[in-house]
Amino acid sequence: LYSYGVKAIEYHKPRVFIAENVGGLRSSAEGKTFDLILNKLSKAGNGYRLTVHKFQFENYGVPQKRERIYFVCFRKDLGLSEFSFPESTDEDVAIEDLLLSVDVPGLDDLVIRRPDTFVSAELPVARELRPLRVGTVGKGGQGERIYSVKGHAVTLSAFGGGVGAKTGMYLVDGEPRRLHPEECRRVMTFPEGFKLHPKRNVCYKQFGNSVAVKVVRLIFEQAERAFREKARLAA
């Protein structure tokens, strides 16, 4: 993937580009993978100055536990010596804000009704910017945990197993269910009116592999500020 990206950068030589990877990239292969990517990106085209930051999405108005590393890369000949990533916003948002109306077709298909379901007698009342586990289905392994709508979603995944695979399970109106693709769209902060694929599993795969629009927008806005500030100082 990065080889194709580097080829595109070398051909187009954009003033700035942004790259994303998983939060655990720094520790992959004892840091060798991270160093290799840094080296390739910095040397692409006429050379780029890189700034790297690990984002915890739940601190930026994205109701999901998701950790990703972002690279913001300015062409060296622009002379932009400093770039600051956006500060966290810590917005009060929870899964309950994003749920569809109960009369939406297809929601009942997402409800998990199994005899081996356990839900805690004490459920959260206060909202928190993190997933709040309240129960399990089966042995409670990956994809078998139930969370409160007072908190955030677990990481949406393109793959994964368990009865709550790809979206996690949430206690909605007293029953655990997976998220609808439209709810996943909202979790990933895609705009209203975004056209969903007609197949549910394709939607899950797309959103599990996607970026959170809100975070990328914040980064782009910060990059625009850096360009404006450079132009102001040069005037």
Side-chain angles (χ1 to χ4, degrees):
L1 177 59
Y2 272 92
S3 343
Y4 288 112
V6 167
K7 287 180 182 178
I9 293 163
E10 289 177 339
Y11 181 82
H12 293 287
K13 296 179 175 60
R15 293 192 300 166
V16 59
F17 68 89
I18 296 172
E20 184 218 48
N21 213 305
V22 296
L25 178 66
R26 288 181 185 271
S27 58
S28 175
E30 300 179 341
K32 294 177 182 177
T33 304
F34 181 74
D35 291 341
L36 176 64
I37 290 174
L38 282 180
N39 184 55
K40 283 186 174 294
L41 293 181
S42 64
K43 291 181 178 178
N46 293 330
Y48 285 83
R49 191 186 68 79
L50 277 60
T51 308
V52 185
H53 181 70
K54 182 187 286 188
F55 278 84
Q56 308 286 351
F57 283 17
E58 58 266 34
N59 297 326
Y60 289 85
V62 179
Q64 178 188 180
K65 181 177 177 58
R66 196 178 188 91
E67 185 180 83
R68 292 293 185 270
I69 288 178
Y70 277 86
F71 304 78
V72 174
C73 313
F74 290 99
R75 218 170 55 207
K76 287 181 178 178
D77 64 329
L78 298 174
L80 281 161
S81 58
E82 293 185 8
F83 173 77
S84 299
F85 279 92
E87 297 289 336
S88 60
T89 58
D90 294 328
E91 296 166 50
D92 180 19
V93 59
I95 289 298
E96 64 182 353
D97 301 328
L98 312 178
L99 296 176
L100 294 170
S101 173
V102 293
D103 58 355
V104 171
L107 283 186
D108 193 62
D109 296 341
L110 300 171
V111 176
I112 309 301
R113 299 185 177 97
R114 283 180 31 172
D116 56 350
T117 298
F118 166 79
V119 176
S120 173
E122 296 184 11
L123 299 176
V125 177
R127 290 153 61 106
E128 295 189 41
L129 304 183
R130 64 184 182 90
L132 301 172
R133 184 172 170 179
V134 296
T136 58
V137 173
K139 295 181 179 180
Q142 188 72 25
E144 296 180 329
R145 298 158 193 165
I146 305 169
Y147 297 88
S148 170
V149 295
K150 293 288 184 184
H152 283 184
V154 293
T155 305
L156 300 189
S157 172
F159 304 99
V163 67
K166 299 182 178 66
T167 77
M169 289 181 290
Y170 306 87
L171 194 65
V172 183
D173 297 326
E175 292 186 298
R177 72 164 172 86
R178 298 167 70 201
L179 295 179
H180 186 279
E182 180 68 13
E183 294 166 335
C184 292
R185 176 197 66 75
R186 295 174 179 178
V187 166
M188 293 299 288
T189 62
F190 274 67
E192 292 292 332
F194 180 81
K195 188 174 181 181
L196 298 176
H197 193 281
K199 292 184 178 179
R200 182 183 296 164
N201 282 335
V202 173
C203 290
Y204 289 150
K205 186 173 182 179
Q206 288 176 333
F207 288 124
N209 277 328
S210 184
V211 297
V213 174
K214 194 165 196 172
V215 172
V216 175
R217 181 180 289 117
L218 287 171
I219 296 173
F220 265 104
E221 288 172 352
Q222 200 75 348
E224 286 179 339
R225 290 189 190 98
F227 278 120
R228 287 198 299 268
E229 181 62 14
K230 175 69 176 176
R232 185 187 69 81
L233 294 174

